[in-house]
């Protein structure tokens, strides 16, 4: 008999994997197919989406699938501090060093267990690769050499290749001045160069929608270099599963009508489903009931929105300057979607020039992104509702 749990089964948080991962089978299949087709085909993927859609969880699941396919995953969350040429080389170098240490430990463990390692080699030396590739700078060649060494070790330890999985990649972008910093180009160039030599190396960049524009500026052919995965909210059936499946082995349940109400209210966004479920669970604890009902949701709703604002939205507003905050608050009274600079000029006392400057800063800060039509949208779902609550 399966044990029934009385513990809260929902997992709202940053990069916290839910008990049941719903609606992501298609991108997982495409990731698996990409690795199977390498190295003859370039194994590069761009994963973009708003905050709260589960990009980090998906990226971590990619890492698990890579291991299952006998590839060595190297996962890292990028920071704003990595957005220089020197910093990105150092960061990727440290990531590769950790991967090599992990591979060496794995080899020792397998050896101790008496399991034979496959004897696999690259069949080429670094000198042969470096002679056939023209690197743009010494930093590019240094990074390429570290990548090559990691691939070589991975193959020697029985892996089929190495795949880099870099989260928050929208933070890395090139400056417009050709004499400035170009960390994104510096990251991509040696990887592409090694891939052209048919070395088993993959790259997955994951981030906000601004990532696509950054890649286009760094490499005009990026749409052909990266397989694009746009992660969005879940369809209704998938969202219902994400909300109800965690309850299956617990002391509580949710009626179909209540589940549909929650899915509609959160518009299928995975983080919100977990948050609503977690708060309903706590409300059921306080009420001493075992079933989620519309009445319970009504009672819990103030606490839900208080936690949502405090944990999800307010930190994104707090890092902005007063002028940037003012413009965002004014944007709540503009037609949406999308946001247009002309509408913002009418809703704000700021001059058109100032509005445009602030819009650029809000894009850089990750609060907004530019659409393909050159208009603007929020990077967090239902953010306009929060701004209206603040106004």
């Amino acid at each position: 008999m399966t044990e029934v749990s009385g513990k809260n089964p929902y997992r709202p948080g940053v990069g916290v994997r839910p008990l049941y991962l719903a609606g992501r089978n298609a991108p997982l299949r495409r990731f698996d197919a990409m690795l199977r087709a390498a190295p003859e085909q370039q194994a590069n993927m761009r994963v973009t989406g708003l905050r709260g859609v589960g990009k980090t969880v998906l990226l971590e699941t990619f890492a698990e699938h890579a291991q299952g396919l006998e590839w060595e995953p190297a996962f890292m969350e990028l920071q704003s501090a990595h957005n220089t040429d020197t910093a990105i080389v150092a960061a990727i170098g440290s990531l590769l060093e950790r991967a090599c240490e992990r591979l060496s430990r794995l080899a020792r463990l397998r050896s101790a267990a008496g399991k034979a390692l496959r004897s696999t080699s690259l069949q080429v030396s670094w000198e042969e690769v470096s002679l056939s590739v023209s690197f743009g700078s010494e930093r590019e060649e240094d990074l390429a050499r570290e990548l090559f060494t990691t691939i070589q070790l991975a193959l020697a330890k029985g892996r089929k290749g190495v795949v880099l999985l870099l989260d928050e990649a929208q933070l890395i972008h090139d400056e417009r001045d050709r004499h400035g910093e170009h960390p994104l180009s510096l990251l991509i160039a040696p990887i592409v160069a090694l891939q052209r030599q048919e070395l088993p190396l993959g790259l997955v960049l994951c981030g906000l929608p601004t990532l696509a524009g950054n890649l286009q500026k760094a490499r005009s052919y990026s749409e052909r270099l990266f397989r694009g995965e746009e992660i969005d909210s879940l369809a209704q059936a998938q969202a219902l599963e994400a909300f109800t499946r965690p309850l299956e082995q617990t002391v509580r349940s949710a009626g179909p009508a209540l589940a549909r109400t929650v899915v509609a209210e959160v518009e299928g966004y995975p983080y919100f489903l977990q948050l609503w479920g977690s708060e309903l669970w706590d409300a059921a604890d306080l009420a001493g009931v075992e079933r989620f009902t519309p009445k319970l949701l009504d009672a819990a709703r103030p606490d839900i929105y208080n936690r949502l604002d405090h944990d999800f939205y307010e930190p994104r507003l707090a890092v902005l300057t007063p002028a940037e905050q003012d413009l965002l608050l004014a944007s709540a009274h503009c037609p949406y979607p999308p946001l247009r600079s002309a509408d913002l000029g009418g809703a704000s006392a700021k001059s058109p020039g100032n509005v445009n400057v602030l819009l650029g800063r809000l894009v850089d800060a990750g609060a907004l992104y530019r659409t393909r039509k050159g208009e603007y949208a929020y990077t967090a779902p239902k953010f306009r509702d929060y701004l209206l609550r603040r106004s």
Side-chain angles (χ1 to χ4, degrees):
M1 183 175 178
T2 304
E3 183 179 354
V4 176
S5 172
K7 191 172 184 178
N8 193 328
Y10 294 100
R11 303 288 184 267
V14 179
V16 180
R17 184 168 181 171
L19 293 184
Y20 178 74
L21 183 62
R24 301 308 183 213
N25 288 335
L28 287 168
R29 286 197 302 270
R30 286 189 283 269
F31 174 78
D32 292 352
M34 180 182 76
L35 290 190
R36 291 192 184 102
E40 290 78 12
Q41 295 184 24
Q42 291 174 316
N44 301 319
M45 183 176 284
R46 180 195 73 237
V47 180
T48 55
L50 302 183
R51 297 287 186 193
V53 297
K55 298 187 301 299
T56 299
V57 169
L58 180 62
L59 200 62
E60 291 172 344
T61 309
F62 280 172
E64 295 174 7
H65 277 231
Q67 289 178 324
L69 293 170
E70 299 182 313
W71 281 63
E72 181 62 24
F75 181 98
M76 181 180 189
E77 180 180 323
L78 294 169
Q79 307 288 337
S80 298
H82 296 141
N83 193 37
T84 68
D85 294 356
T86 300
I88 195 65
V89 170
I92 300 302
S94 296
L95 176 64
L96 295 173
E97 183 178 354
R98 293 193 298 273
C100 288
E101 290 172 355
R102 189 167 57 249
L103 285 164
S104 297
R105 287 197 302 271
L106 177 65
R108 289 195 295 271
L109 288 172
R110 286 182 175 177
S111 178
K115 294 180 180 179
L117 295 172
R118 293 182 307 190
S119 177
T120 311
S121 65
L122 279 173
Q123 300 180 343
V124 292
S125 67
W126 167 249
E127 287 76 15
E128 290 173 328
V129 171
S130 62
L131 285 173
S132 61
V133 177
S134 176
F135 295 102
S137 69
E138 185 176 338
R139 284 196 180 102
E140 284 184 15
E141 184 163 358
D142 289 344
L143 186 53
R145 185 182 292 108
E146 292 185 62
L147 288 163
F148 182 91
T149 300
T150 307
I151 297 167
Q152 192 171 43
L153 179 60
L155 294 176
K157 303 306 182 186
R159 296 297 195 183
K160 293 181 179 178
V162 175
V163 56
L164 305 184
L165 304 155
L166 306 182
D167 202 7
E168 297 293 337
Q170 80 281 348
L171 297 173
I172 309 303
H173 53 85
D174 290 356
E175 293 182 359
R176 294 182 180 179
D177 185 352
R178 67 187 184 91
H179 298 295
E181 301 283 344
H182 299 90
L184 187 55
S185 292
L186 180 54
L187 169 65
I188 294 171
I191 290 174
V192 172
L194 294 180
Q195 288 175 337
R196 286 173 176 163
Q197 302 299 310
E198 294 196 0
L199 300 185
L201 175 63
L203 173 64
V204 180
L205 297 178
C206 181
L208 295 175
T210 50
L211 172 60
N214 292 343
L215 285 170
Q216 186 68 25
K217 292 173 185 175
R219 287 289 184 275
S220 60
Y221 51 83
S222 65
E223 72 279 357
R224 288 172 287 141
L225 183 60
F226 288 87
R227 302 180 185 208
E229 286 288 343
E230 294 185 12
I231 307 302
D232 205 346
S233 58
L234 299 173
Q236 184 185 43
Q238 299 166 342
L240 286 169
E241 280 195 314
F243 181 72
T244 58
R245 288 286 291 270
L247 291 171
E248 288 183 351
Q249 301 302 324
T250 74
V251 297
R252 297 207 165 94
S253 62
L258 179 281
R260 288 193 296 270
T261 298
V262 169
V263 166
E265 189 166 322
V266 306
E267 299 176 11
Y269 284 100
Y271 171 79
F272 295 166
L273 288 166
Q274 297 297 313
L275 178 59
W276 260 244
S278 180
E279 288 295 314
L280 278 168
W281 182 279
D282 291 344
D285 268 345
L286 291 173
V289 298
E290 293 186 356
R291 190 166 178 82
F292 295 172
T293 63
K295 183 179 178 180
L296 186 69
L297 176 60
D298 290 341
R301 194 173 277 111
D303 289 335
I304 290 174
Y305 278 97
N306 181 64
R307 182 174 174 186
L308 176 65
D309 291 351
H310 185 268
D311 292 353
F312 191 74
Y313 292 126
E314 288 177 7
R316 310 187 194 292
L317 202 64
V319 298
L320 303 176
T321 66
E324 292 163 358
Q325 291 183 21
D326 288 345
L327 190 64
L328 268 187
L329 290 169
S331 73
H333 303 283
C334 295
Y336 187 80
L339 289 174
R340 297 181 177 88
S341 56
D343 294 332
L344 283 164
S348 168
K350 303 181 187 303
S351 68
N354 198 1
V355 166
N356 286 329
V357 169
L358 289 171
L359 284 171
R361 283 162 49 179
L362 288 169
V363 170
D364 290 341
L368 300 176
Y369 70 94
R370 295 198 71 174
T371 69
R372 290 185 177 91
K373 293 183 178 180
E375 297 161 334
Y376 297 88
Y378 302 118
T379 57
K382 299 173 71 69
F383 191 54
R384 184 170 183 266
D385 296 342
Y386 162 71
L387 295 174
L388 286 170
R389 292 195 294 274
R390 281 287 305 264
S391 297

